[in-house]
Amino acid sequence: MTGRHNIETLIVLQPVILDTGSSDQDGRLVLSNGRVIAILVRLDASDHEGIEGWFLEVGLGRLRDLRPAPFGSLEAATRWLRQHIARP
């Protein structure tokens, strides 16, 4: 690859507390190259029929209408985010 396509997109996950009105309050503000692109929230399994992981609570821009299944880890979420924001 040449040019900008050989540079991995910088994703920063900033810990935040979300006011969700539920026990799902552990969140990450997702920034890509300085822009907010999403908010992830950690699901509390006791509130979600045993489902746990990280959920895309809010997606902006290219991520706006996407609803992936919960991610098992922040690393999995980051991989998915990189793939979807890199698409033309």
Side-chain angles (χ1 to χ4, degrees), residues 30-51:
V30 182
L31 296 99
S32 172
N33 298 326
R35 292 180 178 215
V36 175
I37 61 167
I39 298 173
L40 297 171
V41 62
R42 185 185 345 220
L43 300 177
D44 182 342
S46 64
D47 287 346
H48 298 282
E49 300 175 3
I51 298 172

Side-chain angles (χ1 to χ4, degrees), residues 16-79:
V16 293
I17 297 172
L18 301 174
D19 186 6
T20 62
S22 73
S23 61
D24 303 329
Q25 296 183 2
D26 184 13
R28 297 294 184 274
L29 193 62
V30 182
L31 296 99
S32 172
N33 298 326
R35 292 180 178 215
V36 175
I37 61 167
I39 298 173
L40 297 171
V41 62
R42 185 185 345 220
L43 300 177
D44 182 342
S46 64
D47 287 346
H48 298 282
E49 300 175 3
I51 298 172
E52 57 186 342
W54 291 88
F55 178 73
L56 180 64
E57 185 75 19
V58 175
L60 302 169
R62 293 180 179 183
L63 305 175
R64 180 179 26 194
D65 296 322
L66 302 178
R67 292 290 166 239
F71 304 100
S73 68
L74 287 173
E75 292 79 14
T78 301
R79 280 192 302 276

